[in-house]
Amino acid sequence: MDTLNGKVKLKVKAETQNGSKIKLNGKGFPVYKNEGHFGDLYVTYTIKIPINLTDKQKVLFTELSKS
């Protein structure tokens, strides 16, 4: 993910829900009149559900949900 200070790598935890928020300390905008200090960057996850699945894919997802 690109931030104002460069790229960071995020690990998305299993079962992360749509709209979940995390805070990246010191990765936001520079602090006014405080050189070298940066605010926090908040990330909101937007989960997209797959569409146009084949019948086989739908069966596999149903089997996974039962386990």
Side-chain angles (χ1 to χ4, degrees), residues 12 16-21 43-49:
V12 181
T16 298
Q17 297 297 306
N18 196 36
S20 298
K21 294 181 183 179
V43 176
T44 303
Y45 289 108
T46 303
I47 310 299
K48 293 187 178 184
I49 306 299

Side-chain angles (χ1 to χ4, degrees), residues 31-59:
V31 177
Y32 181 66
K33 291 188 177 180
N34 200 347
E35 189 175 330
H37 294 277
F38 295 86
D40 300 331
L41 175 65
Y42 290 86
V43 176
T44 303
Y45 289 108
T46 303
I47 310 299
K48 293 187 178 184
I49 306 299
I51 56 174
N52 301 326
L53 296 174
T54 66
D55 289 337
K56 184 176 181 179
Q57 290 170 325
K58 289 177 187 177
V59 169

